[in-house]
Amino acid sequence: MNQVFVHDQLIRFSHCDPAAIVYFPRFFDLAHSTMEDWFAQGVGFSLPELIVNRRVGTPTVSIQCNFAKPLRMGDTLRFELQVTKLGNASADLRYRGLKDGAEHLRITQTLVFMDLDAGRAVPIPEDVRSRIAMYLASAQEAAPKGAAKP
Amino acid sequence: MNQVFVHDQLIRFSHCDPAAIVYFPRFFDLAHSTMEDWFAQGVGFSLPELIVNRRVGTPTVSIQCNFAKPLRMGDTLRFELQVTKLGNASADLRYRGLKDGAEHLRITQTLVFMDLDAGRAVPIPEDVRSRIAMYLASAQEAAPKGAAKP
Amino acid sequence: MNQVFVHDQLIRFSHCDPAAIVYFPRFFDLAHSTMEDWFAQGVGFSLPELIVNRRVGTPTVSIQCNFAKPLRMGDTLRFELQVTKLGNASADLRYRGLKDGAEHLRITQTLVFMDLDAGRAVPIPEDVRSRIAMYLASAQEAAPKGAAKP
Amino acid sequence: MNQVFVHDQLIRFSHCDPAAIVYFPRFFDLAHSTMEDWFAQGVGFSLPELIVNRRVGTPTVSIQCNFAKPLRMGDTLRFELQVTKLGNASADLRYRGLKDGAEHLRITQTLVFMDLDAGRAVPIPEDVRSRIAMYLASAQEAAPKGAAKP
């Protein structure tokens, strides 16, 4: 319980727009990379393994992002990922986006687990679920004070 | 008042992932294209004009998306954009994402207007504001029944 | 014979980098959009139709680009596409990238036609081939003077 | 002389298309990441440092790629970067793209060094040049047998 998956990514030239800050749609791609690496390294089941071998997908049904401060080329973006809610067939993830310890953005996302052949939601497989549960934030942490606000 | 900016985009090969549906971060890029064309054609001030000539930017401070149904290569995505709230220095936009009349996704976004040289929020310029106001949804429409839910 | 497929695209905020010019990898995505629209509108067989219904893909085996002049946000990029060589299972395409009539970049690309189930090259289907042949540049035009050079 | 900059990147879900292989324009973005890390770690001058502090840019004037074999989600792409030609104001780079030791693609690129304020090519700064020269391939290696061919 209560583990945090920490993932650092370099903000590259290609992430930035003519204002020299990250073009905001790319933050969702950067968060997706964090989620992929969390599945592979934290949960212990990579997305290719889930999709190809087990025919389980994890489509996003909702996502929300608050941007408090911009990021620039050469910055290191640290995402701290935790699970804020673990349902039968769904999970809520929270990504705190930090630079030098200060929160610059915050993303919350709801995933559902899908049987890719049947095309419908399925309970999270038990072996996957028990590993996801290790990243479940305590109730207190799931709604912390001082969340990123624009 | 109460105008809707309608914007069609073809879902391309490059938008889709190995599951053959749109990779969700690309919807934010597609919505950004709609916003750019709305500024240029609907509001009457293009982003390059605002940014380069008037030194006014429109950074996004928060964005939220609900995905109800996937979209596939060859589909036409229609975004219907309206303004749901018009503040002194900010505007809330809503994008209803339709395919063949059915809502597949819905995005809500808050923009602020920034003086790019001073680096701080500024009141929306009056000539821009009066045009934006034409797209303000009526109170009833700003919170319709039947919003996209996963 | 000798038709030219003309395709205009707006250079958007999202295409540009911190130097305010197009980030060059995006030109290949823009050319891919031109190719997709050429297949659908010029050749008369869309990529989704070829891929899904006929199980024929068109992977790129080589591509080359010369960049002569940069493009900026708000510019309109016109690609003029022609076929410079039509083989049994392959086609060479040339994209002249123009702004206001002046060549800013030039791309040449070799596609092969693949049986997606068998995973190997196949002769171009006859109905597709006869339409592609309409865009074959005359020998003289296939190697014009004044090609884009950096 | 004759050093090779070795750079590994995971092929992600987001890099792949509905055929479940890398969408080819993304290889240019992956190569750009390799180039950025080579400048920062190999050459010892990061792009942000060159661009922001020294006002020197490195626009690409031509690029060419041969694709021999596809790459899939979960693969590790190793780029081996060397300099094949070092001019007064330009450099030719070669990226051999390997998976498990086998060459899957090969990119060659010509960069020029630009004074960003004057907007024209300039000789490569001497301190940068001496470091770039460490990666210059020997004449024999600059044109090896067995180059990637489709």
Side-chain angles (χ1 to χ4, degrees), chain B residues 52-75:
Chain B
V52 177
N53 299 342
R54 299 178 67 151
R55 302 296 297 148
V56 172
T58 58
T60 294
V61 293
S62 69
I63 194 159
Q64 207 272 339
C65 187
N66 289 326
F67 303 97
K69 297 178 191 174
L71 283 155
R72 293 189 161 70
M73 181 170 58
D75 287 345

Side-chain angles (χ1 to χ4, degrees), chain D residues 2 5-6 9 14 36 43 49 52 56 65 78-79 87-88 91 94 101 105-107 109 119-120 128 131 149-150:
Chain D
N2 215 9
F5 184 75
V6 177
Q9 291 177 89
S14 62
E36 285 183 58
V43 177
E49 190 179 340
V52 177
V56 172
C65 186
R78 167 165 292 188
F79 271 129
N88 181 47
R94 181 187 61 210
L105 69 152
R106 177 174 294 204
I107 294 176
Q109 178 184 25
R120 56 181 169 63
V128 177
R131 294 295 296 269
K149 280 180 193 163

Side-chain angles (χ1 to χ4, degrees), chain A residues 19-96:
Chain A
I21 62 174
V22 175
Y23 175 61
F24 83 79
R26 299 204 213 295
F27 281 119
F28 295 100
D29 196 42
L30 291 163
H32 200 280
S33 295
T34 296
M35 186 187 76
E36 285 182 59
D37 288 358
W38 172 62
F39 267 106
Q41 300 161 24
V43 178
F45 298 89
S46 73
L47 286 193
E49 191 179 338
L50 287 174
I51 293 169
V52 177
N53 300 343
R54 300 178 67 150
R55 302 295 297 147
V56 172
T58 57
T60 294
V61 293
S62 68
I63 195 158
Q64 208 271 340
C65 187
N66 289 325
F67 303 97
K69 297 179 192 175
L71 284 154
R72 292 189 161 71
M73 180 170 58
D75 287 345
T76 295
L77 168 62
R78 167 165 293 188
F79 271 129
E80 294 184 354
L81 185 158
Q82 281 202 293
V83 178
T84 52
K85 190 176 166 190
L86 185 51
N88 181 47
S90 70
D92 288 2
L93 308 182
R94 181 187 60 210
Y95 307 74
R96 296 182 65 218

Side-chain angles (χ1 to χ4, degrees), chain D residues 45-119:
Chain D
F45 299 87
S46 72
L47 287 193
E49 190 179 340
L50 287 173
I51 293 169
V52 177
N53 300 342
R54 298 177 68 151
R55 303 294 298 146
V56 172
T58 58
T60 295
V61 293
S62 69
I63 195 158
Q64 207 272 339
C65 186
N66 289 325
F67 304 96
K69 298 179 191 174
L71 283 154
R72 293 188 161 70
M73 181 169 57
D75 287 345
T76 296
L77 167 62
R78 167 165 292 188
F79 271 129
E80 294 183 353
L81 186 159
Q82 282 201 293
V83 178
T84 52
K85 191 176 165 190
L86 185 49
N88 181 47
S90 70
D92 288 3
L93 308 182
R94 181 187 61 210
Y95 306 74
R96 296 183 64 219
L98 308 169
K99 178 190 157 190
D100 300 334
E103 190 168 311
H104 282 235
L105 69 152
R106 177 174 294 204
I107 294 176
T108 53
Q109 178 184 25
T110 300
L111 305 174
V112 289
F113 286 73
M114 287 271 290
D115 179 322
L116 291 172
D117 294 319

Side-chain angles (χ1 to χ4, degrees), chain B residues 52-150:
Chain B
V52 177
N53 299 342
R54 299 178 67 151
R55 302 296 297 148
V56 172
T58 58
T60 294
V61 293
S62 69
I63 194 159
Q64 207 272 339
C65 187
N66 289 326
F67 303 97
K69 297 178 191 174
L71 283 155
R72 293 189 161 70
M73 181 170 58
D75 287 345
T76 296
L77 168 62
R78 167 165 292 188
F79 270 129
E80 294 184 353
L81 186 159
Q82 282 200 292
V83 178
T84 52
K85 190 176 165 189
L86 185 51
N88 181 46
S90 70
D92 288 2
L93 308 182
R94 182 187 60 209
Y95 307 74
R96 297 182 64 218
L98 308 169
K99 179 192 156 189
D100 300 334
E103 190 167 311
H104 282 235
L105 69 151
R106 179 176 293 205
I107 294 177
T108 52
Q109 179 184 26
T110 300
L111 305 175
V112 290
F113 287 73
M114 287 271 289
D115 179 322
L116 291 172
D117 294 319
R120 54 180 171 64
V122 286
I124 305 172
E126 202 45 55
D127 52 352
V128 178
R129 182 187 183 81
S130 62
R131 294 294 296 269
I132 290 179
M134 294 165 53
Y135 292 89
L136 198 52
S138 63
Q140 189 182 332
E141 286 193 324
K145 287 182 277 189
K149 280 183 193 161

Side-chain angles (χ1 to χ4, degrees), chain C residues 11-118:
Chain C
I11 297 302
R12 295 185 174 281
F13 188 77
S14 61
H15 299 134
C16 296
D17 64 23
I21 62 173
V22 175
Y23 175 61
F24 82 80
R26 299 204 212 296
F27 281 119
F28 295 100
D29 195 41
L30 291 163
H32 200 280
S33 295
T34 296
M35 185 187 76
E36 285 183 58
D37 288 358
W38 172 63
F39 267 107
Q41 299 160 25
V43 178
F45 299 87
S46 72
L47 286 193
E49 191 180 338
L50 288 173
I51 293 169
V52 177
N53 299 342
R54 300 177 66 150
R55 303 295 297 148
V56 172
T58 58
T60 294
V61 293
S62 68
I63 194 158
Q64 207 271 339
C65 188
N66 290 325
F67 303 97
K69 296 179 192 174
L71 283 154
R72 293 189 160 70
M73 182 169 57
D75 286 345
T76 296
L77 168 61
R78 167 165 292 187
F79 270 129
E80 294 184 353
L81 186 159
Q82 282 201 292
V83 178
T84 52
K85 191 176 166 190
L86 185 50
N88 180 46
S90 70
D92 288 3
L93 308 182
R94 181 187 61 211
Y95 308 73
R96 296 183 64 219
L98 308 170
K99 178 191 156 190
D100 300 334
E103 191 167 309
H104 282 234
L105 68 152
R106 178 174 294 205
I107 294 177
T108 53
Q109 178 184 25
T110 300
L111 305 175
V112 289
F113 286 73
M114 287 271 289
D115 178 322
L116 291 172
D117 294 320

